[in-house]
Each structure stands twice: as structure tokens, then as C-alpha cells.
Amino acid sequence: MEVQIKMITIDAISIPPQFEDINPFFNITPTKANCFLIVTVGMPGPTPNITVSSITDNASGGTNLYQQVPGAYSFVNGGDGEIFSFDIWYCSNSKANGTQLTANLSATSNTQIVVYQLYGLNLGESPEAAVGISNGSFTGLLTYSTPPITTSAFSSFIVVVGDASWGFANVALPWSGLPDANGNYFSTTTAYLITDGPGTYTPTWQTQNTNNYAMSGASFQGDQILAFDTTPGTNIGWSVE
């Protein structure tokens, strides 16, 4: 029996914070029809526990339908003044020509987002698994493994977003991080992994001496019959605003 290989292609754009707003908007790579969109949201304080009530865009025929990943919300309210909130939203079957995305927040924030546009995931499906760890703690380690995500699918796309008191610096292979265009990591750090089988997957970060962190993560199911090429797409980019 011939095994077909189905390529998963990733377009990703990391958009740094531009201003503080309760309804921040972002210029994004134009969405295409029939794709899977994932949006990670990082919201620094000073207000603790900021939440996202909705995400909209200006796609043709009306906004794409974005939904929050249940169980993915997280926050860190560190005693050292580190205050961040995180969330993950998704659209399971996109419309074309969305070029501006707006997030509606519970308080003003200098928000940062990353938008993943994926070809090859099963359209119309809900997230397979999620994790949200708030006010996690570790001290004096150069590397640290944040909470695992378990998937039963043949192939999945897993994304994480979070922050530590002194900032995650880099993520270890086989995970892929998204620094900015100059190779620097924001205090809000995101990474992704394309899996090649069921299992438990844990991102490991290089970090500094720290004591508080938060991490949001979600797994999205790929095709369970066809194999996936685990090589990321080449169209990874960053905002130049």
C-alpha cells in the first residue's frame, strides 16, 4: 500500500506591540480561504488577569469566526512586578482577504500577537488538547521544561505562548521558536511543533534565574490517515511595522 505524504505549510507573522489599547488592531498577512488560523495573544500589565472577549478581522464577506481555546488561558502575577496574561484563539476554516485583526480586551495592554496560517490541518475541527498554567514557579535553572501537552492524533500542530519573570530566551529542538526579524525573542515567547505520532510533548526553554512563569498551549489535529512532512513551511515572517 502506497503511503501518501501530506505537506503541512505554515505562514506565521509575529507582530510586536505598537501601543496600549483596550481594542488593539494589527495589520496581518492576508488570510486565504480554507485555512486554519491560530492566534496567540500576549497581554502585559499593569492590569492583572486581562482577558480577550472576542477577535475579529475584515475578511471578505465579514469577519472570520475566531474562538477561544477552552483551558488555554494563563497568567503570571509575579511578586517582582511581572504581570502578563496569555490566550490562544483559532478559526477552523478561514475566509480570504482578512488584512486587519482586532482583539477586544478587558483592559488596556501593549498587546503582542502571533498569527499562524496553516494548510494541511483538518478544517472545521475543535482543538484536541489545551493547557494553561498560571503562576508557575522555578528558580535558578538555565533550562526548564514547561507543562506537557498530550495528543492522540497521528499528527498534530502544537503551539505554546508564555513568559517568565526574566523572559524565556530560546526553545530547544524539536520545537521551533519565533523570534523577531533581528533574531531577538520578545518577553512574550511563542513556539510550535509538528508531531509525527501520538505522545506527550514538552517544550524546554533556555532561561535565566527566575521564579514565576505562565504558559498557554493547544494542540490541533492533523490528518490521521495521511502522513505529514514535519518540515515547516518556508514562509515564516515577521511584521515590519
Side-chain angles (χ1 to χ4, degrees), residues 58-77:
N58 61 342
S60 298
T63 181
N64 279 298
L65 176 60
Y66 294 91
Q67 302 178 74
Q68 195 263 353
V69 176
Y73 177 76
S74 69
F75 59 86
V76 57
N77 300 328

Side-chain angles (χ1 to χ4, degrees), residues 9 14 16 48 51 56 64 66 74 91 100 118 131 137 146 149 152 155 157 160 162 169 171 178-179 181 223 236 239:
T9 303
S14 178
T51 58
T56 58
N64 279 298
Y66 294 91
S74 69
C91 168
Q100 189 175 90
L118 299 141
V131 60
S137 179
T146 46
I149 298 178
S152 60
S155 288
F157 181 86
V160 294
V171 68
L178 278 182
D223 196 304
I236 302 296
S239 168

Side-chain angles (χ1 to χ4, degrees), residues 157-213:
F157 181 86
I158 303 177
V159 63
V160 294
V161 59
D163 177 64
S165 297
W166 294 97
F168 294 120
N170 205 345
V171 68
L173 294 174
W175 293 76
S176 297
L178 278 182
D180 65 17
N182 297 316
N184 300 314
Y185 284 78
F186 300 119
S187 55
T188 301
T189 305
T190 186
Y192 66 89
L193 176 69
I194 302 170
T195 71
D196 57 1
T200 298
Y201 298 90
T202 306
T204 298
W205 306 86
Q206 297 175 356
T207 185
Q208 302 177 51
N209 184 20
T210 187
N211 56 13
N212 292 106
Y213 77 93

